[in-house]
Amino acid sequence: MTKKIFLSIVSICGISVIAVMLLITVLMNNKTAELAAEQVGNEARLIASAVEKGGSDYLLDTEFSENIRVTWIDSGGTVKFDTDKDADSLENHADREEIAQALQTGEGSSSRYSETIMKKTVNHAVRLSDGSVIRVSGAHSSFTAQFLKLINPILLILAAAALFSALSASAVSRNIVKPINDIDLEHPDAQKNYKELAPLLEKLRTQNHKVSRQMDEIQSRREQFSLMTESMSEGLIIADPKLMVLACNTAALKLLGTGSFTMGQSIYALNNSDIFRRCLLNALGGRRSECILRTGGGQREVIASPANSIDMVCGLVVFIMDVTEKQELETMRREFTSNVSHELKTPLTTIYGTADMLASGMVQPEDVVQFGGNIRGEAERLINLINDIISLSKLDEDSAPHENESVELYSLAEEVIGRLKLSAEEKGVAVSLTGEKVSLMGSRTILSEVMYNLCDNGIKYNVSGGKLDVKISHAPKRAIITVSDTGIGIPKQHIGRIFERFYRVDKSRSRKIKGTGLGLSIVKHGVMYHNGTVHVDSESGKGTTFTIELPIEKKNNEQGENI
Ligand code: ADP
């Protein structure tokens, strides 16, 4: 700005100085020419009257000033006398403008410019009484010569003007800029002293208002975004094309098992595994990419999607979901299918083999009964298995309607024990039922199955001469079923798994004891269906107690998870 002001002032001063100098020179030049013409005219008249009186002697005797040239020309134009040159050497002057005029009118004048000496010659001629002419010539400096004479003072004045401009420009610019520098951009209203700044201040005020409104909007959107993403159970990460994290919710840090993370860091600070890198690089290549990570104490499904702008990827949106349960369920489903196939195949193979032997007549007549018994035993096993699978799948189907009626547990237990009387006698187990009548709202079929499986196990896994006690009691708003036996018990390390489908504690020993490995799964789901809990206490070699607590008022469509 100082430079601009300096240049403006210098230019204005320079142009003014040059213009004034030119004007002065022009005026001076005109005046000088006028004076020179007047002077030469006067001289010519004086000399003419002197020659009129004194003749040629006057011219020869008089010492003329060096600044003038005096020439005497006869009426024919021949030069009779000249102060500068030999008269004989000079040509006829009759055609000279001033001479021709003087010969005609009595007086004549002219001026001529000489480039070489940059001077102007002024001539004045006066006719004498004898017809001859006296001409006086004088020279004065031309405009250019006069201007050149002034060049040094002009340059001096220009230099002084430049110096003056520099000093004044710096002072002026400082004074102009100071109030602008003093403006408080946050509070432009504070600067009100200069009305010239009013439009600028007004603009700043409007701009400030606009910026603050936009900032508020951005802040509120950021808060809204953070509120929404923080309430998500899925992880969400937004990264730029260089994979620097722009936004990331707490769920993402938790799911990836990252303790501390600062926004703006590389996404790899969250997880640096090869599989994660590959997934992100694929997405950066423009394709939606998925992978499963084992991190943060579980399995995480990562979905990386490219954010496209026209033809290029301008960032990534990464979703992280906890799929531990889903994966486990998937594993369970796979295991269940393979277990079911296996469990169905084994008795069917035996049935087929035995039947084949019978059909081919290879079996001795006395063995037919035993072979038939084998087939019946395996077929019974198949039926039990299929029944259990049907029960389980019914319980699995949340939407499957089950009756909701008042069920009295004590009489239900009596009925179940009655059905198991024969097997209890065969095993030599004494079964007893104690407690009180307790009714609850629920499904009689499911509760009957739950009790049957627990009592059946209590007999199956008991010892000869052992006991099975069933007790029905109630606590506030809950019914309690306790089934305890004095059987073989369950080793501690197996207790956590006995409710899994097809899980049997000791496969080799269990083979001798009929079972599908689905009984306790049915118990678990049946209790869950009634929003209840089941608890196991067992000691190897001493016995097992199952305690079931069920809410008396069953709420429809609510499944308990606390088993
Ligand atoms: P199963 O058809 O084999 O009885 P369950 O699901 O009912 O299948 O039981 C799973 C396993 O738990 C059984 O194989 C058995 O090893 C063990 N178990 C269940 N109840 C008892 C019990 N009362 N005493 C000892 N072990 C038991």
Side-chain angles (χ1 to χ4, degrees):
M1 196 161 180
T2 311
K3 196 173 163 191
K4 219 168 176 183
I5 293 171
F6 169 76
L7 287 176
S8 309
I9 293 181
V10 168
S11 324
I12 291 168
C13 286
I15 291 168
S16 312
V17 167
I18 291 170
V20 169
M21 293 315 257
L22 277 175
L23 196 69
I24 290 171
T25 313
V26 169
L27 291 175
M28 268 173 62
N29 184 57
N30 288 347
K31 198 70 199 165
T32 313
E34 219 175 90
L35 285 172
E38 204 181 304
Q39 204 181 339
V40 167
N42 288 339
E43 286 282 349
R45 272 178 230 108
L46 270 173
I47 294 168
S49 72
V51 172
E52 200 85 68
K53 282 178 198 155
S56 62
D57 292 341
Y58 170 75
L59 290 173
L60 293 171
D61 296 342
T62 311
E63 196 138 321
F64 294 103
S65 153
E66 273 179 18
N67 292 334
I68 57 168
R69 177 180 175 187
V70 182
T71 315
W72 188 21
I73 304 125
D74 69 13
S75 54
T78 308
V79 178
K80 291 164 71 177
F81 172 81
D82 190 272
T83 49
D84 285 10
K85 291 189 179 164
D86 179 19
D88 295 336
S89 66
L90 293 169
E91 65 207 26
N92 191 294
H93 274 39
D95 58 346
R96 299 283 159 94
E97 190 188 343
E98 68 282 0
I99 306 278
Q101 262 180 38
L103 284 172
Q104 264 184 17
T105 62
E107 274 192 39
S109 60
S110 74
S111 64
R112 278 185 288 278
Y113 177 69
S114 164
E115 283 277 2
T116 41
I117 55 163
M118 284 200 290
K119 284 199 170 183
K120 214 171 180 182
T121 311
V122 184
N123 308 298
H124 198 90
V126 177
R127 191 179 66 198
L128 303 183
S129 52
D130 61 355
S132 65
V133 174
I134 284 291
R135 184 190 71 180
V136 177
S137 303
H140 72 91
S141 298
S142 69
F143 171 78
T144 320
Q146 282 188 26
F147 183 76
L148 287 176
K149 255 189 232 164
L150 287 174
I151 197 79
N152 284 341
I154 289 175
L155 287 176
L156 206 70
I157 292 169
L158 274 179
L163 187 71
F164 167 75
S165 312
L167 293 174
S168 54
S170 110
V172 167
S173 61
R174 229 179 300 125
N175 284 342
I176 291 175
V177 170
K178 191 173 178 298
I180 299 173
N181 283 339
D182 286 350
I183 294 173
D184 180 356
L185 294 177
E186 302 281 314
H187 310 98
D189 288 335
Q191 179 66 282
K192 279 182 177 162
N193 299 345
Y194 300 92
K195 69 174 190 308
E196 292 83 355
L197 290 180
L200 175 69
L201 296 177
E202 185 52 40
K203 254 186 198 157
L204 278 174
R205 218 176 354 258
T206 321
Q207 210 66 21
N208 274 1
H209 192 61
K210 224 174 176 177
V211 168
S212 104
R213 236 188 19 238
Q214 280 169 353
M215 289 301 285
D216 285 352
E217 208 169 303
I218 290 170
Q219 183 63 19
S220 106
R221 279 195 192 163
R222 194 175 289 168
E223 277 167 12
Q224 215 174 345
F225 178 77
S226 142
L227 209 71
M228 279 158 73
T229 54
E230 283 306 312
S231 63
M232 283 166 63
S233 54
E234 293 86 9
L236 174 72
I237 304 170
I238 298 172
D240 68 12
K242 287 181 180 161
L243 294 179
M244 296 299 160
V245 175
L246 303 173
C248 165
N249 66 356
T250 315
L253 302 181
K254 213 163 118 195
L255 289 170
L256 292 175
T258 316
S260 65
F261 179 78
T262 326
M263 251 9 111
Q265 270 185 287
S266 161
I267 197 166
Y268 295 134
L270 292 168
N271 187 290
N272 202 19
S273 64
D274 280 349
I275 187 161
F276 188 57
R277 280 175 175 267
R278 262 201 309 278
C279 180
L280 298 180
L281 292 177
N282 275 346
L284 273 185
R287 272 166 292 137
R288 183 178 184 274
S289 182
E290 294 176 20
C291 69
I292 300 277
L293 294 179
R294 281 170 204 282
T295 179
Q299 298 194 49
R300 318 292 181 220
E301 185 174 1
V302 176
I303 303 172
S305 303
N308 292 318
S309 138
I310 313 171
D311 272 349
M312 55 185 276
V313 175
C314 61
L316 286 190
V317 179
V318 183
F319 270 106
I320 303 154
M321 281 164 288
D322 185 358
V323 289
T324 317
E325 209 174 313
K326 191 175 144 197
Q327 293 291 101
E328 277 170 4
L329 280 174
E330 182 58 24
T331 316
M332 265 169 65
R333 192 194 58 77
R334 253 186 263 122
E335 281 175 7
F336 182 72
T337 315
S338 103
N339 279 332
V340 167
S341 325
H342 177 76
E343 294 295 325
L344 286 175
K345 204 177 155 193
T346 318
L348 271 175
T349 315
T350 317
I351 291 169
Y352 180 81
T354 317
D356 191 41
M357 280 167 77
L358 281 170
S360 61
M362 284 163 64
V363 180
Q364 298 299 313
E366 60 271 22
D367 294 329
V368 169
V369 175
Q370 193 205 325
F371 273 65
N374 285 350
I375 292 175
R376 192 183 56 204
E378 291 302 321
E380 196 187 320
R381 206 176 134 191
L382 265 181
I383 290 166
N384 287 339
L385 182 67
I386 288 164
N387 281 339
D388 280 355
I389 291 171
I390 291 169
S391 298
L392 255 183
S393 66
K394 272 188 189 163
L395 282 167
D396 273 349
E397 287 168 29
D398 294 348
S399 56
H402 294 281
E403 62 280 325
N404 190 23
E405 59 198 315
S406 173
V407 185
E408 201 285 292
L409 295 177
Y410 193 88
S411 54
L412 186 67
E414 269 179 334
E415 187 196 305
V416 168
I417 290 168
R419 276 160 57 201
L420 286 164
K421 201 175 165 208
L422 203 67
S423 49
E425 278 170 11
E426 275 174 11
K427 186 87 187 187
V429 174
V431 183
S432 66
L433 172 64
T434 56
E436 55 191 317
K437 285 186 181 298
V438 180
S439 294
L440 55 75
M441 291 302 290
S443 159
R444 187 179 182 81
T445 320
I446 296 173
L447 290 170
S448 165
E449 248 175 300
V450 167
M451 270 196 214
Y452 184 92
N453 282 319
L454 289 179
C455 294
D456 187 36
N457 282 353
I459 296 166
K460 277 195 305 188
Y461 302 107
N462 217 316
V463 289
S464 180
K467 280 200 272 179
L468 172 72
D469 290 321
V470 180
K471 189 180 169 194
I472 307 295
S473 57
H474 84 273
K477 293 188 178 175
R478 281 169 296 139
I480 301 167
I481 306 167
T482 317
V483 180
S484 56
D485 64 64
T486 55
I488 57 172
I490 306 164
K492 256 196 178 66
Q493 68 273 22
H494 293 282
I495 289 181
R497 299 198 60 190
I498 53 172
F499 291 99
E500 286 176 17
R501 292 171 190 200
F502 295 108
Y503 191 80
R504 307 196 75 192
V505 171
D506 181 349
K507 287 239 162 137
S508 60
R509 190 194 60 182
S510 296
R511 277 220 69 78
K512 285 180 225 142
I513 304 168
K514 285 182 188 167
T516 58
L518 294 173
L520 287 182
S521 285
I522 294 170
V523 170
K524 174 181 147 179
H525 282 87
V527 172
M528 267 168 70
Y529 175 78
H530 286 86
N531 298 328
T533 59
V534 60
H535 180 76
V536 197
D537 267 322
S538 186
E539 203 175 322
S540 231
K542 286 203 170 165
T544 307
T545 300
F546 286 91
T547 310
I548 291 173
E549 289 197 20
L550 301 167
I552 286 174
E553 289 293 329
K554 178 190 176 296
K555 284 177 199 147
N556 278 333
N557 301 325
E558 259 186 37
Q559 294 272 315
E561 293 284 341
N562 42 359
I563 289 186

